[in-house]
Amino acid sequence: MKLSNLEVGQRYARALFEVASKNKQQEDILQELVGISQVYQEIPNLGVVLTSNELALSDKQAILDLIKKNASSLMQNFLQMLFDYRRLEDFTAIMHAYTVLYDKKSGVGHVKVQTALALSNEQQQALKQALKKRFNLQQVSLQIQVVPEILGGLIIQFNNVIIDGSVQKKLQQISRVLLQD
């Protein structure tokens, strides 16, 4: 049974995170993953090329050697393992899964916020403090989207939790109650 891209990413990321943790290199490895992912963004088919049979093995190894040239020994070994097991196509999924593990361990939360109007810096800081307390986080990164249709209030999404405090939602609830009778 073939594993999904997500499952592969989670397994390899967990293994890399455990080794990086033992060596106290979690943040350094994250930075290296981010740097390598930029190469993947610049060359969108890189993973496919390195796992397909279109190029000779020696040519693919030469490309990989260029990618891992300035990497730490841990990252060099990890990339070589991905190459050997033909998993370089899953690199982006691995990087995302590693980031999730790192953020969870570090107490970082990425929160999506929808609001009817742009928030001032003071409002953003107050919201960050409230979210830190509510979700027991060390640091909060806000992704704010202005959506005039919600009329007012906020819709907050963090992991699998959605807090809908929008005026639009309140009006819908009132309308449902009034129309029931």
Side-chain angles (χ1 to χ4, degrees), residues 86-168:
R86 300 177 66 115
R87 293 293 190 187
L88 283 169
E89 191 173 357
D90 300 311
F91 179 83
T92 302
I94 294 167
M95 196 259 323
H96 287 299
Y98 186 95
T99 303
V100 168
L101 291 169
Y102 180 83
D103 287 348
K104 187 174 183 179
K105 177 83 172 178
S106 303
V108 176
H110 299 279
V111 181
K112 294 179 183 177
V113 178
Q114 293 180 346
T115 179
L117 302 171
L119 299 177
S120 69
N121 286 339
E122 295 81 22
Q123 290 170 322
Q124 289 182 32
Q125 292 307 315
L127 180 58
K128 284 182 181 182
Q129 291 305 318
L131 292 170
K132 281 182 187 179
K133 189 174 181 179
R134 169 80 159 87
F135 294 113
N136 195 26
L137 298 170
Q138 299 297 316
Q139 183 180 350
V140 173
S141 169
L142 294 179
Q143 179 186 353
I144 299 174
Q145 180 183 15
V146 176
V147 181
E149 293 83 28
I150 68 170
L151 304 175
L154 300 171
I155 300 174
I156 298 169
Q157 183 178 358
F158 174 66
N159 290 344
N160 295 329
V161 177
I162 297 175
I163 302 170
D164 191 340
S166 67
V167 172
Q168 180 185 36

Side-chain angles (χ1 to χ4, degrees), residues 48-66:
V48 174
V49 168
L50 292 173
T51 55
S52 72
N53 293 324
E54 293 177 21
L55 290 177
L57 186 62
S58 60
D59 293 336
K60 292 189 285 188
Q61 184 65 56
I63 294 169
L64 178 65
D65 290 343
L66 286 173

Side-chain angles (χ1 to χ4, degrees), residues 12 17 19 26 34 43 56 58-59 67 80 84 106 121-122 126 129 151 163:
Y12 279 86
F17 191 79
V19 173
Q26 303 101 313
V34 169
I43 308 168
S58 60
D59 293 336
I67 293 170
Q80 188 63 50
D84 293 342
S106 303
N121 286 339
E122 295 81 22
Q129 291 305 318
L151 304 175
I163 302 170

